[in-house]
Amino acid sequence: MDSAAFPSADEQQRILQEASTAIKRNAFHMRKAIEDDNMRDSLKHAAAMLGELRTSQLQPQKYYELYMLAFDQLSYLESFFADERGKGRAYAELYELVQHAGNVLPRLYLMVAVGCLYIKSHEASPRDVLKDLVEMCKGVQHPTRGLFLRAYLCQRAKGLLPDTGSEFEGPAAGSIHDALDFLMTNFIEMNKLWVRLQHQGSARDKEKRERERQQLQDLVGKNLTYLSQLDGLSFELYRDQVLPRVLDQITSCKDDLAQLYLMQALIQGFPDRFHLGTLESLLGVLPQLQPGVKVHSVMAALMDRLARYASSASASAAGGGDPRVLEELAAIDAFTKFKAAIAQIIASQPNLPAADAVEMYVALLSYAGSVHPGQLAYVDEVLAAAHAALGDRGPGLGGDARAERQLVALLGVPLTKYGVDVALGLKEYPPLTRLLRYPTHKELAVKIVQRVLEAPPPAAAGAAPPSPAGAAAAPPVSGGCVISDVDKVKMLFRFISPLVADPDVPGEAGGAADLDDEDLDEEQVLVARLLHHLRAEDPDTHFTILSVAHDQLLAGGPRRLRTTLPSLVFCGLALHRRLVAARAAAAAAAGGGGGSAAAAAPAAGAGKKAESKKEAAAAKKKKEEEDKEEEEAKKEEGGEEGKEDGKAESKEEEKAEEKEEVPAPPAPKEPAALVTPPKLTSEQLLQFLLAAIGPLYGGPAGQPVTALRLLLAAGYVASEEARLELLAYTFFEEAIALYDEALPDQRSRATGLFDIIGSLQRCRVFGPEHRDALTSAATAGCMRLVARREQCRALCAAAWLWWQAEADKAAAAEGAGDAGLQPPVRDGAKVLATLQRAAKVAGQGKAQWGATGRLRDAAYIGAYAEVIDAMLRMWDAEVPGIDAGKVQALLDAVQADIAAGVAPDAHSARRWASTLAFIASQAAAGATPAVKERYGKLKPPPAPAAA
């Protein structure tokens, strides 16, 4: 009956309840007849009970419920038949008796029940009975009824097959070939019935029927399961008899669901070694499957099964197992066969979705990683094959979002399995990334960068490679891995090109123009962090890496440079420190630790010389003590002539002991290994940094405040580390020019000026001409500030430009630490002149207050306090010309104004009170008597009461 006539769900539920009631009623009467030992009535009620399974009005799911009710009751009837056999009735008679049932379906169920008991009793040949039953079941061709009937036959005959070693095997009973024939015949017939279910009903119920069929698929698969469990099933039988018939049935059924399920059941049901020997047959059938079959899932299942087999075999071989499995895997070249099969499938199915094709390559890549973990050539082959298969679809794979996601998964496999550092050696990776749309490629690039930043460093997996001779070891990064090969760095920028460059296609979404500053900065912060992971132990290689990164960053446009260039500059400054250390090590090796090493690395040389000086002083002191002891011993000898011989002997012993105590001369050192200094020079590196900072001066990438600070940091390095006066002067000159021309507001100008003064004050490389030019420019900048108080503060800071800290006299005497540097500037007259100029500016503020009378103009009190504080610090530093009289004059001037009614603003009042409290505390409890005496000369007014 066509299932188009299936009643509604409610009607089917009613029919099921009525049929279930009838089965229970007839089962009751059957059991009653069995108790009465009434064979005729027992068979009559059993046939009536099984007759309820003849319905065609139930869909498969509800029919299954009805079948299970009848199946449970058949066990009582089978027990009754067994009892009858004990009473002398032969099974042959019972087998003939049940065939008198009026309807085919009940008759066949009863025949199966008796036939299995007939086989079990050994009264009949299993081969003949099973063949009879499997052929008789062809009488039921209704899909649902026939499927469940054959499922009952298969389940009841499971333990009765003439398998090898079974009690039912024999010349007359049958052999393994008969068992195979029975299961294969039943499997083929069941598959036909199962497929026929799909073709019933209207097209609109297709999905519903597929769901119902999926619930019944295990009934068909049981035949393959029982086949795989046969003890007599050898590889030869499987290869020659089972597999060809199963594959023929799979290809001939022309059903998507059946082909997919049976291929998966075949792969999962039979042993791995069988698949290994028949791999070509399995792969050869895949192109013949229906276009709707998810071939990629079949391929993935097969490759995953063999990958796990290889992994388990490898583990077994390590533990003393059989290594022949691995040899066989290598001999059949499964990888090449899988790759060829994928290509054939794609060629045979022109309409194959791109996502399915990519999924097959994902599975192949996972297989290669499991079976051939150390061979990246296989990974490159997979990527190349994927690009060849998908390249004609263009970026975005024809707009298939699912395919793009699968391609991202494919590209993520090497990163996950091998790590970014290893994956960068894959030449076929970048071409495949170009098949992604720009936004999708950018998402992948972000994942790659994050993996570099978060992955464990290579040292975690093994020892780090040794540093090149003469190179200082790079400081370890806090986390992530370090990429130290120039080619890999170039490849990395190809991997993450969307993060450092706009789309190749003009107008494509996702470029810098489509992002606001916050989103763009969030992306570029990742790139900036990445730059700190691009480094090498060798300074020359590290510089090449930075040059490559610089070129890549410049190509990304000005808006990206605002975030990435500062990071690049700091990487260069860190490299310079290592460069200086490397040159010091090379100089030390070349000069045997002499003066050349000190010249190349003043700090290291000074430390070594101080240490040698201490050792010399200790040796001298020890020698003096020994001489003193010897003189005392001679004095004691004078009055004791009778003991001369003993004393002489004692003296000789002491001399012998002294000789023993004298340390042996150091063994001659082996000649130091030749250390090659880096080819990179400080001039080259600093010139590179100067060019790198340039784009930040202004324009779209303008970050003038950041550029100013970078120039000052590089200028300090050029002065104190590289000792290059002209380059240092250039950095400061650029910084001052940037201050004059580009800083946008007074606050940033004041902050920038203090940065310039602070950096310049610590530099000692400049000669008088260059220093005067820079200090004059800085002092002039102080007067270009608008607020009087800011001018005073800046002038007070600028006064320190003429008073630098003294150098270490001991180090200077040894000639270490000052090579290439000028003596510290200590010009008290210019210090005093600058502070007096600051006091004059404060006086101008007083005049302004007198003209306006505004409260905010009374801030000149705070300006005076700034000057007084600066004078006190200079006084503590013992600057000539700063004395108590000059400080007292300023104190009296401020106090007079306050007494005259000047009301300073809150900030100035607090600053004035703090200054007076400091003077009082130093006069009362200074650190030394000299400090107490110095501050005791001042007569400050009493500090104002706290508000």
Side-chain angles (χ1 to χ4, degrees), residues 356-369:
D356 293 350
V358 177
E359 281 190 40
M360 287 191 285
Y361 284 113
V362 171
L364 180 59
L365 192 56
S366 299
Y367 170 83

Side-chain angles (χ1 to χ4, degrees), residues 10-176:
D10 293 339
E11 181 66 14
Q12 286 191 62
Q13 186 64 33
R14 185 190 64 78
I15 294 172
L16 175 62
Q17 289 179 352
E18 291 179 356
S20 300
T21 301
I23 286 178
K24 293 175 183 178
R25 181 176 61 252
N26 285 302
F28 171 78
H29 291 299
M30 180 190 71
R31 293 194 300 272
K32 187 76 169 56
I34 289 173
E35 291 176 0
D36 296 339
D37 199 15
N38 189 333
M39 174 65 71
R40 183 172 176 276
D41 288 346
S42 298
L43 292 178
K44 181 181 73 172
H45 292 298
M49 176 187 70
L50 293 170
E52 297 297 327
L53 297 178
R54 297 171 58 223
T55 179
S56 302
Q57 295 181 313
L58 295 178
Q59 292 177 337
Q61 186 176 7
K62 295 187 181 299
Y63 188 89
Y64 175 73
E65 298 179 25
L66 198 65
Y67 165 79
M68 289 306 298
L69 280 175
F71 177 81
D72 292 339
Q73 300 301 324
L74 284 175
S75 60
Y76 295 103
L77 188 62
E78 291 174 0
S79 298
F80 177 57
F81 289 154
D83 292 340
E84 287 297 309
R85 170 69 175 79
K87 296 176 182 178
R89 179 172 288 185
Y91 280 123
E93 180 184 350
L94 291 174
Y95 192 65
E96 292 290 337
L97 184 62
V98 296
Q99 295 185 35
H100 291 84
N103 293 306
V104 173
L105 187 65
R107 182 191 313 153
L108 291 175
Y109 272 104
L110 293 173
M111 287 180 66
V112 171
V114 177
C116 290
L117 293 173
Y118 197 8
I119 296 173
K120 193 173 182 180
S121 67
H122 298 283
E123 294 181 9
S125 167
R127 173 179 55 205
D128 297 337
V129 176
L130 290 176
K131 185 176 181 179
D132 185 46
L133 291 175
V134 78
E135 291 296 329
M136 291 289 290
C137 286
K138 291 181 180 179
V140 179
Q141 290 298 312
H142 186 276
T144 305
R145 297 196 294 264
L147 191 62
F148 280 94
L149 172 63
R150 288 188 174 276
Y152 178 67
L153 169 63
C154 182
Q155 184 172 358
R156 296 297 299 133
K158 175 186 176 183
L160 306 175
L161 301 175
D163 189 10
T164 301
S166 167
E167 61 177 306
F168 303 104
E169 181 191 25
S175 64
I176 182 64

Side-chain angles (χ1 to χ4, degrees), residues 469-484:
V477 292
S478 58
C481 65
V482 175
I483 300 178
S484 56

Side-chain angles (χ1 to χ4, degrees), residues 438 441-450 493 495-502 520 522-524 526-527 530 553 556 560 564:
Y438 184 85
H441 190 184
K442 182 183 287 187
E443 293 175 6
L444 176 64
V446 169
K447 293 179 181 178
I448 292 173
V449 174
Q450 289 174 339
F493 278 106
F495 279 24
I496 65 168
S497 57
L499 288 178
V500 295
D502 284 330
L520 185 62
E522 184 178 352
E523 287 181 1
Q524 296 309 302
L526 289 175
V527 181
L530 175 67
L553 297 179
R560 291 183 174 90
T564 54

